[in-house]
Amino acid sequence: NNSYTSSFCASYQRVRLNNDILGKKMVEKHILYGIPHSLYTGRARSYLIKNRIPFNELSCGHESFKADIVPKAKLATIPVLKTTSGEVIRDGAAIIEHFELANGRPCQPKGARQQTISHLFDLIGCEGLLRPAMHYRWNFPEENLEFLNYHFFNAQRAGPNRQEKTDYMMDRMRFAGRIFGVSDTNHNFIEELYMDFLQALDQHFSAVPYLLGWKPCIGDFGLMAPMFAHLGRDPKPLALMQREAIHVYRWVERMNRAESDTAEFFEAGHGYLEQDEIPETLVKVLSILAEDLVPETQAAALSINHWLADNQPSHGTSASRYLGKNKSMAEFTVRGEIIAAGAQPYRFFMLQKIQDGYLKFSKKDKLLVDDLLEQCGLKEMLDIKLTQRLGQEDNLEVWL
């Protein structure tokens, strides 16, 4: 009996050990470094959730971020992903591209028109909605300040001067709002333009759960950047969205859930809309966004091209997000309102994807895309270019 018991216990221990090893392999996860209130982290997080990619999220205040991640990421920005193989990928676009390339591009529609619109919303989410995102976060302290202080405070490691460090970081982000074009006098204008956009988007999402139908595209994830962490989570804009745009609020909810989350659509479809369809409701949304996206992009290109002519950066030179800091403010006019905002190279890194994709289309598809963009007031976006291209090398945006 003792021999039998010993043999059984040994076998049991081996099985348990093998199961433990197997279990560790099964739960091996990527690590996403970010914070809940980060605009750009929301984009990458949503992509991982929707594509059922296992990950754990750590704060950028975690000791490992400074010690292990930043040296490989090159910049202390978020989001950053550490893959299960140990690779470090900085920037939401690069994180998404990593998985899209590896998995057959599950979030890219096949049609030329839908591909173009998807990439446009990716650009719009990262660059075109920064003014309302910053305005609604920082210019309503009575509603938002306690909420924001909690999040910024808890992004700092415990130690001396924690509140002072929190105040400094919050002041930096308030200043970033001015870089993005929020002034002391244009609050009403920003709210007017945002409400026009929000109501049009709400009308669109009353008919379909995602931008292009029944599953999210790259553009949905780009749009999540401002629409979640700032506009769909901070108390003031969240209350506004819940009151004025319940369909948009539901889209924000479902973009953070792995399942389709389309219970209110009793005849839900599958995949993207057929025949490369772009609904009229989406054309309306894009027409509103075009009002400031086009003139700002034109003004930014003019500013950056002047800088390129004067500086002529060599291949591989870092392309700073805030080019020339305060000296790069570009002026443009929207609905009679003069706005000054920083000219940012990253906008054109994203725009290149749209323009490069367009060049690969057939002549017939190009004509279809031309007609669509003309309807939206966005046709000029195909022709606005910098005199020097941008790329990503070793986790940095660089001049090519």
Side-chain angles (χ1 to χ4, degrees):
N1 286 340
N2 288 339
S3 175
Y4 173 79
T5 301
S6 298
S7 176
F8 173 80
C9 288
S11 297
Y12 174 77
Q13 291 295 335
R14 284 195 297 272
V15 169
R16 195 168 109 175
L17 178 61
N18 288 337
N19 284 341
D20 285 346
I21 293 171
L22 181 61
K24 287 178 182 177
K25 289 182 179 178
M26 289 176 65
V27 299
E28 193 173 17
K29 296 180 180 180
H30 307 283
I31 299 175
L32 179 68
Y33 285 88
I35 43 180
H37 54 294
S38 158
L39 186 146
Y40 293 109
T41 300
R43 173 197 197 189
R45 183 192 299 115
S46 177
Y47 182 90
L48 297 175
I49 291 170
K50 277 298 186 188
N51 286 277
R52 299 180 184 272
I53 298 168
F55 74 100
N56 288 322
E57 186 168 342
L58 293 180
S59 169
C60 56
H62 195 278
E63 185 60 34
S64 62
F65 183 71
K66 182 187 294 185
D68 304 328
I69 301 303
V70 172
K72 297 177 181 178
K74 301 298 187 295
L75 295 174
T77 63
I78 50 177
V80 178
L81 187 82
K82 183 179 180 181
T83 70
T84 53
S85 65
E87 182 181 1
V88 172
I89 306 171
R90 187 194 65 82
D91 181 58
I95 292 169
I96 290 174
E97 175 61 17
H98 170 79
F99 291 108
E100 282 288 295
L101 189 61
N103 297 311
R105 303 204 175 277
C107 297
Q108 176 167 287
K110 302 300 182 185
R113 302 199 320 161
Q114 290 185 353
Q115 278 188 33
T116 302
I117 294 306
S118 176
H119 286 307
L120 265 169
F121 271 104
D122 200 21
L123 165 63
I124 288 162
C126 295
E127 294 287 328
L129 288 168
L130 295 178
R131 269 184 294 285
M134 299 304 276
H135 166 62
Y136 279 104
R137 168 160 288 186
W138 296 112
N139 290 327
F140 295 90
E142 184 175 340
E143 294 92 338
N144 293 345
L145 188 57
E146 184 176 350
F147 179 84
L148 294 172
N149 186 76
Y150 167 86
H151 282 294
F152 279 93
F153 183 83
N154 285 286
Q156 302 288 337
R157 292 184 64 81
N161 305 315
R162 192 177 185 187
Q163 186 60 56
E164 288 83 352
K165 292 177 181 178
T166 297
D167 293 340
Y168 171 75
M169 183 56 66
M170 291 175 69
D171 285 341
R172 281 190 63 187
M173 297 313 297
R174 285 191 190 94
F175 176 73
R178 293 187 173 275
I179 293 291
F180 297 146
V182 181
S183 72
D184 293 332
T185 60
N186 65 7
H187 296 182
N188 289 340
F189 166 73
I190 291 172
E191 292 172 20
E192 173 191 324
L193 200 58
Y194 175 66
M195 282 305 301
D196 287 351
F197 156 74
L198 188 65
Q199 289 169 353
L201 188 63
D202 192 63
Q203 183 65 33
H204 176 68
F205 283 141
S206 70
V208 288
Y210 300 100
L211 286 175
L212 294 174
W214 305 100
K215 60 176 286 191
C217 63
I218 295 296
D220 285 277
F221 300 113
L223 192 59
M224 266 293 279
M227 297 303 290
F228 172 58
H230 284 232
L231 296 166
R233 192 171 182 274
D234 290 354
K236 173 65 178 184
L238 171 60
L240 179 67
M241 184 184 290
Q242 289 175 322
R243 186 179 69 246
E244 303 290 341
I246 184 60
H247 302 100
V248 178
Y249 175 70
R250 281 290 294 123
W251 169 82
V252 171
E253 282 192 322
R254 68 174 61 98
M255 285 295 291
N256 278 322
R257 294 176 179 172
E259 66 274 13
S260 62
D261 190 16
T262 55
E264 62 264 58
F265 293 92
F266 290 98
E267 297 181 3
H270 301 280
Y272 300 118
L273 296 171
E274 295 181 357
Q275 298 180 338
D276 204 18
E277 179 189 353
I278 304 297
E280 285 298 318
T281 50
L282 205 54
V283 172
K284 174 63 175 176
V285 173
L286 288 164
S287 298
I288 294 168
L289 292 167
E291 291 187 63
D292 65 348
L293 183 68
V294 172
E296 181 171 6
T297 304
Q298 290 171 328
L302 186 64
S303 174
I304 295 173
N305 282 334
H306 281 312
W307 184 91
L308 288 170
D310 291 340
N311 292 272
Q312 299 181 353
S314 59
H315 182 106
T317 301
S318 176
S320 171
R321 184 167 183 84
Y322 305 111
L323 180 67
K325 298 184 179 178
N326 291 335
K327 296 179 181 178
S328 66
M329 300 298 278
E331 286 193 352
F332 53 97
T333 303
V334 182
R335 295 185 181 180
E337 183 89 21
I338 297 174
I339 300 174
Q344 301 188 69
Y346 192 82
R347 172 183 295 256
F348 297 92
F349 172 71
M350 299 299 295
L351 181 56
Q352 280 177 186
K353 296 181 182 181
I354 301 168
Q355 295 168 343
D356 292 349
Y358 176 83
L359 293 176
K360 296 176 182 178
F361 295 148
S362 67
K363 184 177 180 180
K364 178 182 177 182
D365 282 341
K366 285 178 181 176
L367 291 173
L368 291 172
V369 170
D370 288 347
D371 181 64
L372 173 62
L373 294 182
E374 193 73 51
Q375 293 178 53
C376 300
L378 290 165
K379 179 68 163 55
E380 292 167 282
M381 294 295 287
L382 293 176
D383 301 316
I384 306 173
K385 297 180 181 180
L386 300 183
T387 55
Q388 196 163 335
R389 284 180 63 85
L390 290 148
Q392 283 182 326
E393 295 180 357
D394 196 23
N395 275 326
L396 290 174
E397 286 78 51
V398 298
W399 297 108
L400 299 180

